[in-house]
Amino acid sequence: MKTAELARTIGARLLGDGGLEVMRVRAAQDAGEGDLGFAAVPDELRACASTAATALLIPASFAAEHAHELPCAVLCADPVERALAA
């Protein structure tokens, strides 16, 4: 699924390329190419800067401060867990 379509489907705000393809969902620290990495709590959020994910799903408050530092597209939603359940 393309990142723009995924953002619409889960009700997230997309920051970055909407044409990237994601195929799997994994924790940010385990994510690689083609993955949507997710992080919701401080320990997980620390892994975002070094993720190999194609895109990250993170809380809006974290995205507001750190999206420009992250190595991939960002989907932000609050709470992350609810967006994952969508």
Side-chain angles (χ1 to χ4, degrees):
M1 180 179 284
K2 301 284 187 197
T3 47
E5 181 182 353
L6 179 59
R8 281 191 301 276
T9 300
I10 66 173
R13 180 174 175 221
L14 174 64
L15 305 171
D17 188 345
L20 301 173
E21 187 74 28
V22 292
M23 298 171 281
R24 296 169 299 277
V25 177
R26 298 186 184 201
Q29 66 268 19
D30 300 327
E33 187 176 333
D35 293 338
L36 172 66
F38 66 90
V41 297
D43 286 343
E44 295 169 346
L45 292 168
R46 283 190 270 287
C48 291
S50 61
T51 190
T54 294
L56 283 169
L57 174 61
I58 57 176
S61 58
F62 186 80
E65 294 183 27
H66 299 284
H68 65 283
E69 303 166 353
L70 300 176
C72 59
V74 171
L75 286 80
C76 41
D78 289 313
V80 167
E81 297 84 357
R82 184 171 26 169
L84 280 174

